[in-house]
Amino acid sequence: MNPDVRQSHHSSVIYQKLLEKLTYLATQLGEMFQDFAFENRFNLHPRRISELGWEQANHFLEFVASGNDKEVVSAGSYRMEEGLGQSTLAALGVRLRRFCRATFPVEGSELMDQGLDLVDRYMSSLMEGYNTALEARILEDQEQMRRALSGALESQRRELYIKNHAINTSINGIMLTDIDGRITYVNPAFSDMWGLEDPSVVHGKNCIDLLEIDKSHEIVNALSEKAGAGWRGELRARRANGSYFEVEVSLSIIKDVGRYRIGVMVSFVDITERKRLEADFREAKKTEAIGTLASGIAHDFNNLLTTIQGHTSLMLLSMDRAHPFYERLRSIEKQVESGSRLTTQLLGYARKGRYEVKPVDLNRLVEDLAETFNRTRKELSIHLELDKHLLAIEADAGQIEQVLLNLYINAADAMPGGGNLFIGTKNLSYDQVKGKLSNPKKSNYVMINIADTGSGMTKETMERVFDPFFTTKEMGRGTGLGLAVVYGIVKGHGGYIKVESEVGKGTTFEIYLPASDRVFAQPPRAPEQTIKGNETILCVDDERAVLSIASELLQALGYQVLSANSGREAVEIYGANRDQISLVILDMIMPEMGGGETYDALRNISSKVKVLLSTGYSIEGKATDIMNRGCNGFIQKPFKLTALSKKVREILDESTM
């Protein structure tokens, strides 16, 4: 018989035998799948396992009938994708061979051999498809893993880049050290903060020994005691050039994934400017409080001096020079002037002491006062270095003279045995001063530099040098107001003042005043004389003593006087007598209805009213507001009879607008 025909015959026989025992085979395979269910990728439903037994038995039977290896290869790929485990597949081969031996019990017969060959062919094709799919799955898993790792690495790289960028561009100085305090890294901001040209020179060095930070051992103790809780505080650090600056420090321990300490990160913020601004703010608040008190005292004291000066002037007006009391009255008048200078100093400290603000030639003030001062202090050598093209300043010349004189005296007192006094002036632009001064206003400036070669000051003295009533002189040689007044006047003129001093090497004051584009002029000084008149004047003051003496002074000058003790009374009197009243002398500070409100009420009655403002304060503040609204003039208490007569006459002789 032809072998192919015989082979076909045997396959047909095997198929018939297997078909007869299909139920048995399906049951066996179902049990097998049940036994190996937990070894597969996922647990199959029991019904699916039962179906899988029948499905696999029918599939094998179809292969025996068709001999289609390619279809079996596809089935193997499907079984792998379905989640069938390799051990389950191996067990399938064993069960099929066992089933074949049980179906064809004659060992060595052609049917058994051919049946086993069919099983081997089937399993070989099934394994081929399974392994091909498995390899593809492994490659796919590896690719997914590669992509996942690549993504994780890229994410980590980006995170490290961002962190590195944040550290390198941070405005805070950042330093990293190992657990022993040796520096491993510093960022650019740290290098700038400490003045390091090459940051690598500090790598490996001990941070505490290198940086010389105050309280460095306190940091170390805090870290050891708190077991890495960190430390935060404010310290003084030293730059590479030896200069000190204030820093805010935030220090924390770096730990690895096992929570073991591996290093320290320290963040520094330069708070030097903030500390200086805080100190300036405290000083400003203190100065403001004392200034308010000083100006109030000066105002009340000026009213007292006005009464004394008024009575003295009236007595002198009718007294012959040969009278035995004449010189005594002149002495009283001089004491009033001395008291007035004291209140001027108080108002100057309170920044309320600018009386006549106009363009001033600072060089001329410096030269004239230096020449006069040198005559009284011949032991001093005064050196002038003045800018020939110095800009004018908007200032009260008398107050600036007070500033210069106080600084000259201060310098002379520091050089009792003689020495050198250097005085200089120059123009400075805004760009030149903005790095030197704290938040200067945008303007050109004129600077006055006054330096001596005297004894100098300690740091503690410098911190209090502008405090009122603070003095290092012995009892009776100083009031402690000199430099306080300088400070107040400079600030009142919108200026700035700096001081540098070293014990044994002298002191330097630098004053910066806003420059003016206006041209200064030197008005001629008129001789003192009493000017009389006969007009009617309304005098207004809430202080009865001041009102009484002012009325008497005006009457002594020939004027008709109406008096009012309050703003409301003044408005009533003026309303009833406005055609007769040629001038109103108005006190600025009064209860209920103040000078400003009274002035506005008078202007409502007549827009042509002439008003001379009188106050124990200066022209600054509320007085300036009234002057800007059209008030005709201002006179400072206490005033002499000659000054009052001149100011009254000036206003009365003005042409009506």
Side-chain angles (χ1 to χ4, degrees), residues 459-487:
K459 181 182 177 182
E460 291 74 18
T461 300
M462 281 181 61
E463 289 176 352
R464 298 190 60 194
V465 70
F466 296 121
D467 286 0
F469 309 112
F470 172 76
T471 180
T472 57
K473 301 171 185 176
E474 62 267 23
M475 184 68 70
R477 287 203 58 206
T479 63
L481 275 174
L483 292 179
V485 167
V486 168
Y487 181 85

Side-chain angles (χ1 to χ4, degrees), residues 628-656:
N628 290 338
R629 297 207 292 273
C631 187
N632 302 84
F634 172 86
I635 189 167
Q636 172 77 27
K637 297 176 183 177
F639 41 77
K640 288 185 177 180
L641 182 63
T642 53
L644 177 64
S645 69
K646 178 183 176 183
K647 185 65 73 171
V648 167
R649 200 67 252 165
E650 284 178 0
I651 297 174
L652 288 174
D653 292 343
E654 288 178 356
S655 60
T656 304

Side-chain angles (χ1 to χ4, degrees), residues 133 238 316 627:
R238 195 171 80 168
L316 287 171
M627 294 296 294

